[in-house]
Amino acid sequence: MTLHWLKGDSPARLGMAVSRKVDTRAVGRNRIKRVLRDATRHLLPCLAGGDFVIVARSAAKAADNQQIREAFERLLRRAGALPPAGVGGTMPPREGVNPLPLNAPESSSGGAEPAC
C-alpha cells in the first residue's frame, strides 16, 4: 500500500484507490476497500487529523483480511498518523504501581476501545 496524507486540523477522512490492476474482479477490489474502511473505523479515535488516500498494490489481492489491517496500521504508524505501539517489554510491572485506575469510567459504546 501507499499512503498520501495531507495533515490538517479537520477530522480524518479516508479515500481509497484500488484499481483493476490490483484485482480484475470487483468482488476482490471491494473486499480490500471494506477491510480498509473497517480498520479506519476502529482506529479513528487515535488517528491524526487530515485527509488520507490509500493506494492498494497488487499484493493486497493475495493477502488475507488480517494482513491488510496490519499493513495499514503499520503504514499509519510509520507516517506518524498513529501514536507508536505500546512497548511490550519483558520486565514485569513495578510493584505498587497500578497501570489502570480502579475508578476509571467504563465505555458506553459496548465495544472494545482501540489501544492508542
Side-chain angles (χ1 to χ4, degrees), residues 21-115:
K21 289 182 180 181
V22 172
D23 194 344
T24 56
R25 299 174 346 145
V27 168
R29 294 191 304 270
N30 290 336
R31 177 187 69 91
I32 294 167
K33 290 187 278 189
R34 187 174 54 249
V35 170
L36 290 171
R37 272 194 303 270
D38 185 56
T40 303
R41 191 175 302 117
H42 287 90
L43 295 172
L44 202 56
C46 306
L47 203 55
D51 299 328
F52 296 86
V53 176
I54 301 295
V55 180
R57 299 291 179 213
S58 58
K61 176 183 178 179
D64 65 2
N65 294 354
Q66 187 61 32
Q67 290 172 328
I68 293 172
R69 279 188 191 94
E70 290 170 359
F72 179 55
E73 186 173 338
R74 196 170 43 246
L75 185 62
L76 290 171
R77 287 195 195 286
R78 273 192 10 209
L82 282 177
V87 179
T90 57
M91 298 293 294
R94 293 187 338 210
E95 290 192 31
V97 177
N98 187 3
L100 298 174
L102 295 176
N103 58 355
E106 293 186 21
S107 173
S108 62
S109 63
E113 292 293 320

